[in-house]
């Protein structure tokens, strides 16, 4: 059980985008702080879309069971950090009031990459996005993360209240600065004075977060409830590894993050790059090649000797050279730890879950290190193969008996192009691949100008579509030993 009386503690944190990851990560760190130190740091959580999480948690006072598993151990705990869940579409005003409350000192967000409403492949706010257009024109009835934060800051300024610490917890490079730039862009279109106030009173903190949290299937939920001995409509599963690195850019009081193992540092960027490129990039590679080889789960793909060897060489040969040394991290050991975590059958991530929204994920996970290596004049057959596998995943998922559900709105224009190209006898040609990569809108222009990069992807894509991944993986791993 939590080890404290949740009803005796007030709220000091608002979290936007409550889902399984937040409940297995940030909320657990807060739960540990409340257990050790007390304080009014419970969480008011916000769902930006639907009432599902609120409905599952509300009937049990927002308590829920977290089951943490390694390959051979298991532990369970009841988390009491979340005080209530608000549903934004039902009551936007209640969300704004929670954010603008004097007691709110920290705001965290996990809205996934697409929740930032960015231009494709870039770091600028998409002002043509319909929800962003709405929030700029109708500031009293926001829909997006940006709109709610702007409305709250406007209200805090009007009431003469101080600002808060704003922590972006999504898998985007320099996520705090990115959120700051997006918010200030939108604020200037509404009120230049508000933008200046935010620059002075909001502590934009970048973070790096890490914990593998699969979707809660019916079987997972039944297993947890059976072992716990009670009904829990909000239970979930995670691995027993958790990491959080926060940029020390605070302007308001904060919980004692360090007391529960959070790293508070001056610069998060090296940790972000390490995690995005090694963990998330490898995760995407496992998802694409695993699905193409007929595997359902990531741990199955990680157990395949050829895929596992490919991922190991990808990290060692083409990704590690793009990272700077960290004083407290052994990067080689980190890579070995990742392979062990990926192989954990107790945390059943599906390949399809990891492959979802790949147009939002690949720029920072795969294309950024690819560009750095190409600009250094280095060959990148392994990084190129991940891009080829992504296109093959879209192609075979759309036009073969495998039929992977893409769950990626950004890939629809590629599906449409592939439909047209599939009818042509010669596929894929160099022109096909260049057109696909260009219209994806996520590949840097400097990479597109590399004939070696595009021709390598064309050759690899052809082999994946015609002969599958096994032979290509074998040749790639033999060549790079």
């Amino acid at each position: 059980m939590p080890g404290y009386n949740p009803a005796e503690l007030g709220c000091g944190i608002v979290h936007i985008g409550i889902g399984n990851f937040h409940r297995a990560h940030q909320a657990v760190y807060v739960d540990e702080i409340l257990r050790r130190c007390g304080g009014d740091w419970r969480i008011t959580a916000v769902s930006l879309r639907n009432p599902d999480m609120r409905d599952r948690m509300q009937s049990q006072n927002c308590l829920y069971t977290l089951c943490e598993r390694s390959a051979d151990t298991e532990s369970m705990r009841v988390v009491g950090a979340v005080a209530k869940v608000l549903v934004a579409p039902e009551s936007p005003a209640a969300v704004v009031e929670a954010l603008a409350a004097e007691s709110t000192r920290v705001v965290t967000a996990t809205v996934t990459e697409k929740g930032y409403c960015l231009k494709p492949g870039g770091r600028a706010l998409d002002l043509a996005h319909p929800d962003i257009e709405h929030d700029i024109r109708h500031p009293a009835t926001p829909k997006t993360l940006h709109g709610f934060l702007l409305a709250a800051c406007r209200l805090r300024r009007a009431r003469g209240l101080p600002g808060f610490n704003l922590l972006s917890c999504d898998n985007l490079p320099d996520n705090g600065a990115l959120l700051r730039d997006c918010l200030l862009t939108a604020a200037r279109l509404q009120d230049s004075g508000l933008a200046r106030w935010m620059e002075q009173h909001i502590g934009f903190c970048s973070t790096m977060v890490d914990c593998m949290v699969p979707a809660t299937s019916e079987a997972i939920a039944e297993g947890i409830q059976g072992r716990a001995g009670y009904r829990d409509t909000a239970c979930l599963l995670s691995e027993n590894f958790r990491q959080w690195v926060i940029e020390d850019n605070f302007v308001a009081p904060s919980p004692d993050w360090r007391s529960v193992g959070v790293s508070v540092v001056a610069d998060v960027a090296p940790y972000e790059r390490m995690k995005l490129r090694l963990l998330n990039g490898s995760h995407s590679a496992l998802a694409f090649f695993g699905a193409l080889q007929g595997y359902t789960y990531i741990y199955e793909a990680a157990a395949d000797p050829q895929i596992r060897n490919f991922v190991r060489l990808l990290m060692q040969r083409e990704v590690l050279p793009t990272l700077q040394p960290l004083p407290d991290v052994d990067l080689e050991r980190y890579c070995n730890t990742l392979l062990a975590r990926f192989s954990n059958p107790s945390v059943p991530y599906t390949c399809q879950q990891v492959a979802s929204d790949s147009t939002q994920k690949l720029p920072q996970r795969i294309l950024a290190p690819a560009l750095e290596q190409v600009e250094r004049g280095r060959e990148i057959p392994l990084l190129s193969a991940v891009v080829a596998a992504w296109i093959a995943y879209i192609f075979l998922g759309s036009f073969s008996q495998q039929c992977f559900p893409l769950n990626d709105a950004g890939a629809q224009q590629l599906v449409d192009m592939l439909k047209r190209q599939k009818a042509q006898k010669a596929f894929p040609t160099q022109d096909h691949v260049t057109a696909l990569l260009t219209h994806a809108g996520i590949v840097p222009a400097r990479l597109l100008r590399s004939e070696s990069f595009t021709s390598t992807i064309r050759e690899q894509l052809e082999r994946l579509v015609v002969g599958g991944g096994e032979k290509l993986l074998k040749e790639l791993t033999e060549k790079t030993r």
Side-chain angles (χ1 to χ4, degrees), residues 395-466:
F395 179 82
L396 295 173
S398 302
F399 309 113
S400 75
Q401 293 180 345
Q402 291 171 285
C403 293
F404 314 123
L406 295 180
N407 296 324
D408 185 357
Q412 187 56 50
Q413 60 184 338
L414 300 184
V415 173
D416 295 339
M417 287 185 69
L418 285 165
K419 284 181 180 178
R420 295 191 295 270
Q421 294 171 353
K422 183 175 181 288
Q424 302 175 20
K425 292 182 179 180
F427 174 81
T429 67
Q430 185 72 18
D431 288 342
H432 287 150
V433 170
T434 302
L436 282 166
L437 295 175
T438 301
H439 283 276
I442 63 173
V443 182
R446 287 173 291 175
L447 263 182
L448 290 171
R449 289 196 294 268
S450 169
E451 186 175 344
S452 173
F453 177 70
T454 56
S455 62
T456 298
I457 291 174
R458 188 206 67 77
E459 294 170 5
Q460 293 171 335
L461 176 60
E462 181 177 30
R463 298 173 70 184
L464 286 168
V465 170
V466 174

Side-chain angles (χ1 to χ4, degrees), residues 45-61:
V46 177
S47 170
L48 287 177
R49 293 188 294 275
N50 60 64
D52 176 62
M53 188 62 71
R54 188 271 315 275
D55 293 346
R56 287 193 281 136
M57 295 181 67
Q58 186 169 258
S59 63
Q60 48 199 53
N61 296 319

Side-chain angles (χ1 to χ4, degrees), residues 325-338:
L326 290 169
D328 53 347
V329 178
D330 182 328
L331 290 175
E332 286 285 349
R333 180 178 296 176
Y334 182 77
C335 291
N336 292 332
T337 300
L338 289 179

Side-chain angles (χ1 to χ4, degrees), residues 257-297:
W257 299 121
R258 291 184 176 91
S259 70
V260 292
V262 177
S263 298
V264 180
V265 300
D267 185 11
V268 173
Y271 297 89
E272 287 177 336
R273 281 194 293 273
M274 174 190 75
K275 191 250 181 173
L276 285 167
R277 298 181 181 188
L278 289 175
L279 187 151
N280 297 116
S282 298
H283 224 193
S284 291
L286 285 165
F288 300 141
F289 281 107
L292 292 173
Q293 295 288 83
Y295 295 119
T296 300
Y297 295 103

Side-chain angles (χ1 to χ4, degrees), residues 36-256:
R36 291 167 181 253
C37 312
D40 293 327
W41 292 115
R42 292 188 78 202
I43 300 165
T44 297
V46 177
S47 170
L48 287 177
R49 293 188 294 275
N50 60 64
D52 176 62
M53 188 62 71
R54 188 271 315 275
D55 293 346
R56 287 193 281 136
M57 295 181 67
Q58 186 169 258
S59 63
Q60 48 199 53
N61 296 319
C62 290
L63 299 171
Y64 60 91
T65 307
L66 172 65
C67 178
E68 298 172 291
R69 290 181 189 161
S70 68
D72 52 9
T73 63
E74 175 182 279
S75 64
M76 294 199 292
R77 62 188 294 165
V78 174
V79 179
V82 179
K84 56 186 172 183
V85 180
L86 303 176
V87 181
E90 293 180 356
S91 181
V95 176
V96 174
E97 280 293 337
L99 289 163
E102 186 173 4
S103 58
T104 297
R105 309 294 182 85
V106 175
V107 176
T108 57
T110 52
V111 294
T112 74
E113 293 90 339
K114 64 182 177 182
Y116 288 75
C117 302
L118 303 175
K119 292 181 179 178
R123 291 180 59 82
L125 183 66
D126 183 3
L127 296 175
H129 191 290
D131 289 343
I132 295 295
E133 282 189 335
H134 171 275
D135 284 0
I136 291 173
R137 294 183 180 183
H138 307 283
T141 57
K143 294 182 178 180
T144 67
L145 167 71
H146 310 79
F148 281 105
L149 291 172
L150 290 178
C153 288
R154 188 179 302 106
L155 194 54
R156 294 182 83 99
R157 182 178 65 151
R159 293 173 175 175
L161 296 175
F164 46 65
N165 305 313
L166 179 56
L167 282 61
S168 169
C169 302
D170 286 296
N171 287 321
L172 289 161
D174 204 9
N175 46 26
L178 174 64
L179 183 53
R180 176 197 65 209
D181 294 345
C182 289
L183 284 173
L184 295 180
T185 295
R188 292 186 186 106
L189 294 175
Q190 292 182 338
D191 178 356
S192 59
L194 176 62
R196 288 193 295 271
W197 184 90
M198 293 174 67
E199 287 180 300
Q200 296 171 3
H201 294 89
I202 300 298
F204 295 95
C205 303
S206 291
T207 76
M208 184 273 267
V209 296
D210 187 5
C211 183
M212 294 185 188
V213 188
T216 307
S217 66
E218 186 175 336
I220 288 173
E222 289 177 353
I224 294 172
Q225 292 176 92
R227 285 187 291 281
Y230 52 77
R231 184 170 182 268
D232 183 346
T233 58
C235 62
L236 73 158
L237 171 70
S238 78
E239 65 173 336
N240 67 342
F241 177 95
R242 192 177 296 109
Q243 185 179 19
W244 198 2
V245 183
I246 303 175
E247 178 187 12
D248 188 357
N249 196 30
F250 305 131
V251 299
S254 285
D256 185 1

